[in-house]
């Protein structure tokens, strides 16, 4: 079980699962190993399988208080992974009922509350989590900052982000939020610096690349924007907005065929419902001489959003093409 936990921390899911299964072979009804298997399933993208393991652990008479807390937190996280945040909240409350002194349970309760959204209640949950860890809990400071930002208190949010980063300097999620807040305040250079730090401290987050790319777009630094957008897509291929903006950048650079491919990808990742990308797909097709396809794209853009930002341009383009 211990080796399984170590493998899980390194994202070695196959090895972690094998170790936890071996632990169960050696000790029947081993709740910690069942929770470990739930964690493996959850982190490898199988929340339903994770829930089955956590529930199996909770059905054991031999389960300890700590294992009960971990299983209920796992159930809440699995529900959250499926955007069922009300259900998640109930599981986190069950974890707190099992151990009111569990700082982690209060932390996750804050996460469920902010997602519903209920920032004031989330703030209360994060404050409790901090008190239970003697104010030495960077994740709770980060959660508190998220809730305060959502509650319209960016100055307090920045203060708590600073405390989170003081405890955990390489905290990429906190650096990302810090960049967003700087950007909202109009501090472009500070935002760019925070996004860059987030990128340098994480190999998994796509959003800092996307956010930095948007700053590059506004500064007309298209080569740097294209590079960051491609990095975001490499990390998260279903990142629809990144595909869309990479298409816009390619179009501005005269890479029309590549631009069209990015718009097609952006639309596919939105299940076909992305009027802005559909308009620009039509523009790329028109430039490529694909008149029939362009007409279809413009018409679809109008159907999806007849009063949208590009509706007037789409109507003008259709009128122009139909006269040809």
């Amino acid at each position: 079980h211990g080796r399984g936990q170590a493998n899980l921390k390194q994202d070695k899911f196959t090895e972690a699962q094998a170790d936890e299964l071996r632990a169960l072979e050696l000790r029947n009804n081993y709740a910690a190993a069942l929770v470990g298997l739930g964690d493996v399933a959850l982190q490898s993208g199988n929340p339903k399988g994770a829930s089955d393991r956590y529930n199996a652990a909770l059905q054991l008479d031999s389960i300890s208080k700590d294992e009960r807390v971990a299983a209920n937190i796992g159930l809440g996280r699995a529900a959250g992974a499926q955007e069922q945040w009300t259900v998640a909240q109930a599981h986190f409350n069950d974890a707190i009922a099992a151990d009111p002194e569990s700082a982690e349970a209060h932390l996750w309760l804050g996460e469920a509350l902010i997602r519903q959204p209920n920032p004031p209640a989330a703030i209360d949950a994060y404050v409790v989590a901090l008190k239970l860890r003697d104010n030495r809990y960077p994740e709770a400071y980060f959660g508190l900052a998220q809730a305060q930002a959502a509650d319209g208190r960016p100055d307090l949010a920045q203060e708590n982000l600073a405390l989170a980063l003081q405890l955990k300097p390489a905290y990429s999620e906190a650096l990302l939020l810090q960049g967003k807040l700087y950007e909202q305040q109009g501090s472009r250079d500070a935002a760019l610096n925070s996004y860059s730090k987030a990128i340098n401290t994480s190999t998994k987050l796509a959003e800092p690349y996307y956010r930095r790319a948007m700053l590059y777009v506004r500064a007309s630094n298209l080569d740097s924007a294209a590079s960051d957008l491609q990095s975001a897509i490499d990390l998260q291929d279903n990142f629809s907005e990144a595909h869309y903006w990479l298409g816009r950048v390619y179009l501005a650079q005269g890479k029309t065929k590549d631009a069209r491919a990015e718009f097609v990808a952006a639309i596919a990742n939105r299940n076909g419902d992305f009027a802005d990308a559909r308009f620009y797909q039509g523009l790329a097709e028109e430039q490529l001489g694909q008149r029939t396809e362009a007409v279809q794209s413009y018409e679809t853009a109008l159907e999806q959003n007849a009063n949208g930002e590009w509706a007037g341009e789409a109507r003008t383009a259709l009128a122009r093409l139909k006269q040809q």
Side-chain angles (χ1 to χ4, degrees), residues 2-324:
R3 189 171 68 180
Q5 294 293 289
N7 277 321
L8 183 59
K9 287 180 180 178
Q10 299 177 61
D11 293 335
K12 296 180 179 178
F13 302 129
T14 301
E15 294 89 340
Q17 182 179 41
D19 283 331
E20 298 290 8
L21 287 171
R22 178 60 178 153
L24 279 174
E25 290 176 3
L26 294 168
R27 183 190 299 178
N28 289 330
N29 298 329
Y30 189 7
L34 284 168
V35 172
L37 285 167
D39 292 342
V40 172
L42 181 60
Q43 293 185 39
S44 59
N46 181 10
K48 185 181 184 305
S51 295
D52 291 343
R53 294 294 191 174
Y54 296 134
N55 280 317
L58 287 168
Q59 291 168 11
L60 297 176
D61 293 334
S62 59
I63 189 170
S64 70
K65 180 179 73 173
D66 289 346
E67 291 160 350
R68 184 173 296 279
V69 170
N72 277 304
I73 289 175
L75 283 171
R77 291 178 61 197
Q82 300 170 82
E83 299 297 325
Q84 299 170 354
W85 288 105
T86 303
V87 175
Q89 180 182 342
H91 288 304
F92 298 140
N93 279 322
D94 286 343
I96 291 168
D99 181 7
E101 301 297 304
S102 171
E104 187 180 3
H106 287 282
L107 176 82
W108 279 104
L109 176 61
E111 178 76 4
L113 289 165
I114 199 172
R115 294 299 188 101
Q116 291 193 58
N118 188 347
I123 288 171
D124 293 341
Y126 289 126
V127 167
V128 173
L130 280 166
K131 288 180 179 177
L132 290 170
R133 291 274 183 93
D134 296 323
N135 296 323
R136 304 284 300 175
Y137 200 174
E139 290 78 10
Y141 278 120
F142 170 64
L144 182 57
Q146 282 189 303
Q148 288 168 331
D151 203 35
R153 293 186 271 177
D155 293 341
L156 288 176
Q158 285 283 26
E159 290 176 13
N160 284 302
L161 282 176
L163 292 170
L165 290 166
Q166 183 178 334
L167 292 168
K168 186 178 176 182
Y171 196 165
S172 53
E173 291 86 356
L175 289 163
L176 171 60
L177 179 57
Q178 185 183 61
K180 291 179 184 179
L181 292 174
Y182 280 138
E183 194 172 351
Q184 290 171 11
Q185 295 162 6
S187 301
R188 178 190 177 278
D189 291 342
L192 190 67
N193 183 53
S194 291
Y195 293 145
S196 296
K197 286 181 179 178
I199 288 166
N200 292 336
T201 57
S202 174
T203 59
K204 296 181 179 180
L205 288 181
E207 191 175 355
Y209 283 106
Y210 172 75
R211 294 278 176 178
R212 190 171 71 174
M214 292 299 93
L215 293 177
Y216 286 143
V217 166
R218 295 185 194 111
S220 298
N221 185 349
L222 298 185
D223 288 341
S224 294
S227 177
D228 273 358
L229 289 166
Q230 186 60 61
S231 294
I233 291 166
D234 289 342
L235 288 167
Q236 185 181 330
D237 186 55
N238 65 348
F239 198 156
S240 186
E241 289 290 331
H243 281 290
Y244 168 71
W245 278 103
L246 184 55
R248 292 278 301 269
V249 169
Y250 281 158
L251 205 59
Q253 293 177 320
K255 301 176 182 178
T256 312
K257 186 176 180 180
D258 292 336
R260 182 186 181 279
E262 294 301 327
F263 296 134
V264 169
I267 293 162
N269 286 317
R270 288 268 196 95
N271 296 318
D273 187 12
F274 197 162
D276 291 4
R278 187 73 74 173
F279 166 78
Y280 275 102
Q281 180 183 335
L283 193 61
E285 288 163 345
E286 187 177 355
Q287 292 180 15
L288 291 167
Q290 300 170 351
R291 180 185 177 281
T292 302
E293 292 85 347
V295 168
Q296 183 177 355
S297 291
Y298 289 139
E299 288 177 341
T300 303
L302 281 172
E303 288 170 7
Q304 291 178 344
N305 192 358
N307 299 312
E309 181 180 0
W310 306 110
E313 287 83 350
R315 290 188 182 94
T316 300
L318 280 170
R320 181 178 62 250
L321 288 174
K322 288 179 179 179
Q323 288 175 355
Q324 293 176 4

